[in-house]
C-alpha cells in the first residue's frame, strides 16, 4: 500500500521532510513523481493502482513490445514472437514475485520508449513522448541511465538531419534528477544516485553466466528450485534445456547480422552487450541497506534492456 490520500502522495514530491528519515530535509526521489501519477489514476484508492499494475503488467509489456516490433517488421509472426517473448521475460516475473513496482514499470515502459524514439524521426509529439518516457524509466531504474544515455548519444550520431528531434529527449530526466544529484554530491554520496527507489529488497545475486541467460536471480528463475529435491542429473538436464532455449533466441539475434540490413542487428547486439555489462556491474554494487545488510543494486532493469 502507498497511502489512502492522493494529496499525501503529491506531498512527497519536491523538497521537504522525507518520510522515514529523522530530521532530514531532502529532495524527493524522482520515483515519487511516478508513484504520485500512478496513484492519481485511481484517486479513490491510490493503492489499487498497484493492484491493476500487477494484473496488467504482462499484457502491457507484451503489447508494447509488439507495437515496437511493428515499427521494424511487417511480418505478424515476428511481431507476435517479440511481444510474447518480452511479455514472458524472466526479469518481469522476478520483479512481480519480489514486489518491485519500479522494476515492473521500467520493464513495461522500455518498449514504449523505443517505439516513441523511432517515431520521433517524423514527429515532434513523439519526440516529446519519448522525453517523458525516458524520464520515467530513469526514475524507475537509475542504474540503467548510463545505458539509455549511450543509446541517446548513438541516436544523435545516426539520425542526420532529424537530430534536432532527439536533442532534448534527456532534458526532463536531467531536470527531474538535478536536485537529487546536487544533494547527493554535496553529501559526498554520489553513488547513492543509482540506488533502486523504494524499500531495499534483498536478492540473491546469480552467477554472471546466469545473468547472461537473462535471469536476475540465482536458480535460473526457479527452474533449479523446482528440481532441487531431485537427482543431480535432473538439475543438469534443466540447465542444458534452459541454455538451449535461450541459445535459440541468441542465434536468432545473431542471424540478423547476415540479413540485407545488418546495421539493425549490429546496433541491437551492441546495446544488448552494453546492457549485460551494466547488469553485471549493478550486481556488484551495494549502495543501500536492509537493516544492517548491504543490498546490491537490482540487475533486472539492465537485463530488461538486453532482453
Amino acid at each position: 500500500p502507498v497511502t489512502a490520500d492522493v494529496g499525501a502522495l503529491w506531498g512527497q514530491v519536491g523538497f521537504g521532510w522525507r518520510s522515514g528519515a529523522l530530521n532530514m530535509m531532502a529532495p524527493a526521489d524522482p520515483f515519487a513523481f511516478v508513484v504520485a501519477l500512478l496513484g492519481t489514476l485511481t484517486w479513490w484508492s491510490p493503492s489499487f493502482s498497484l493492484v491493476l499494475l500487477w494484473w496488467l503488467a504482462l499484457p502491457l509489456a507484451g503489447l508494447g513490445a509488439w507495437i515496437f516490433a511493428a515499427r521494424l517488421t511487417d511480418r505478424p509472426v515476428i511481431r507476435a514472437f517479440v511481444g510474447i517473448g518480452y511479455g514472458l521475460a524472466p526479469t518481469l516475473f522476478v520483479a512481480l514475485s519480489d514486489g518491485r513496482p519500479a522494476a515492473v514499470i521500467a520493464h513495461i515502459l522500455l518498449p514504449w520508449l523505443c517505439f516513441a524514439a523511432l517515431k520521433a524521426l517524423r514527429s515532434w509529439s513523439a519526440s516529446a513522448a519519448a522525453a517523458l518516457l525516458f524520464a520515467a524509466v530513469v526514475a524507475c531504474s537509475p542504474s540503467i541511465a548510463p545505458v539509455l544515455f549511450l543509446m541517446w548519444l548513438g541516436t544523435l550520431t545516426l539520425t542526420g538531419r532529424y537530430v534536432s528531434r532527439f536533442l532534448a529527449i534527456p532534458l526532463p530526466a536531467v531536470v527531474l534528477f538535478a536536485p537529487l544529484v546536487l544533494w547527493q554530491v554535496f553529501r559526498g554520496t554520489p553513488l547513492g544516485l543509482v540506488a533502486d527507489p523504494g524499500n531495499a529488497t534483498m536478492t540473491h545475486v546469480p552467477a554472471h553466466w546466469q545473468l547472461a541467460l537473462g535471469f536476475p536471480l540465482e536458480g535460473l528463475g526457479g527452474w533449479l528450485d523446482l528440481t532441487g529435491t531431485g537427482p543431480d542429473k535432473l538439475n543438469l538436464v534443466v540447465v542444458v534445456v534452459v541454455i538451449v532455449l535461450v541459445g535459440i533466441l541468441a542465434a536468432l539475434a545473431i542471424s540478423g547480422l547476415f540479413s540485407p540490413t545488418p546495421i539493425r542487428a549490429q546496433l541491437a547486439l551492441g546495446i544488448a552487450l552494453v546492457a549485460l555489462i551494466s547488469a553485471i556491474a549493478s550486481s556488484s554494487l551495494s549502495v543501500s541497506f536492509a537493516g544492517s545488510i548491504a543490498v546490491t543494486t537490482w540487475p533486472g532493469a539492465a537485463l530488461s534492456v538486453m532482453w
Side-chain angles (χ1 to χ4, degrees), residues 75-104:
R75 299 181 181 180
V77 173
I78 296 179
R79 288 181 292 187
F81 181 78
V82 171
I84 293 173
Y86 189 78
L88 299 179
T91 52
L92 179 57
F93 276 88
V94 174
L96 289 169
S97 64
D98 278 359
R100 299 178 183 269
V104 171

Side-chain angles (χ1 to χ4, degrees), residues 23 32 46 57 73 89 120-121 143 145 149 158 172 184 191 198-199 207 225 249 256 266 268 271 296:
N23 296 328
T73 177
L121 284 169
S143 61
F149 273 103
L158 295 174
Q184 292 280 24
L191 285 179
N199 295 327
D225 295 332
L249 293 178
Q266 293 166 1
I271 293 170
T296 58

Side-chain angles (χ1 to χ4, degrees), residues 164-178:
S164 58
R165 290 192 173 97
F166 293 88
L167 284 174
I169 284 181
L171 189 58
V174 171
V175 173
L176 198 61
F177 272 87

Side-chain angles (χ1 to χ4, degrees), residues 134-262:
F134 187 99
V137 171
V138 175
C140 292
S141 184
S143 61
I144 62 171
V147 178
L148 295 183
F149 273 103
L150 282 176
M151 292 170 64
W152 172 70
L153 290 174
T155 302
L156 293 182
T157 62
L158 295 174
T159 48
R161 62 193 180 96
Y162 298 107
V163 68
S164 58
R165 290 192 173 97
F166 293 88
L167 284 174
I169 284 181
L171 189 58
V174 171
V175 173
L176 198 61
F177 272 87
L180 189 63
V181 169
L182 294 174
W183 188 71
Q184 292 280 24
V185 169
F186 284 128
R187 288 184 66 211
T189 56
L191 285 179
L193 291 167
V194 301
D196 297 318
N199 295 327
T201 304
M202 289 294 298
T203 183
H204 297 287
V205 179
H208 292 170
W209 67 272
Q210 293 189 33
L211 286 173
L213 291 175
F215 294 98
L217 195 67
E218 67 178 13
L220 293 178
W223 285 106
L224 293 183
D225 295 332
L226 183 67
T227 60
T229 56
D232 292 338
K233 290 184 179 180
L234 184 58
N235 281 343
L236 180 60
V237 170
V238 168
V239 171
V240 171
V241 168
V242 172
I243 291 176
V244 168
L245 291 175
V246 178
I248 293 173
L249 293 178
L252 289 172
I254 293 172
S255 67
L257 296 173
F258 306 98
S259 68
T261 54

Side-chain angles (χ1 to χ4, degrees), residues 248-298:
I248 293 173
L249 293 178
L252 289 172
I254 293 172
S255 67
L257 296 173
F258 306 98
S259 68
T261 54
I263 182 64
R264 291 180 177 180
Q266 293 166 1
L267 293 173
L269 289 172
I271 293 170
L273 178 61
V274 172
L276 176 59
I277 294 172
S278 177
I280 293 173
S282 297
S283 67
S284 306
L285 185 65
S286 300
V287 293
S288 57
F289 287 84
S292 60
I293 302 174
V295 178
T296 58
T297 307
W298 169 246

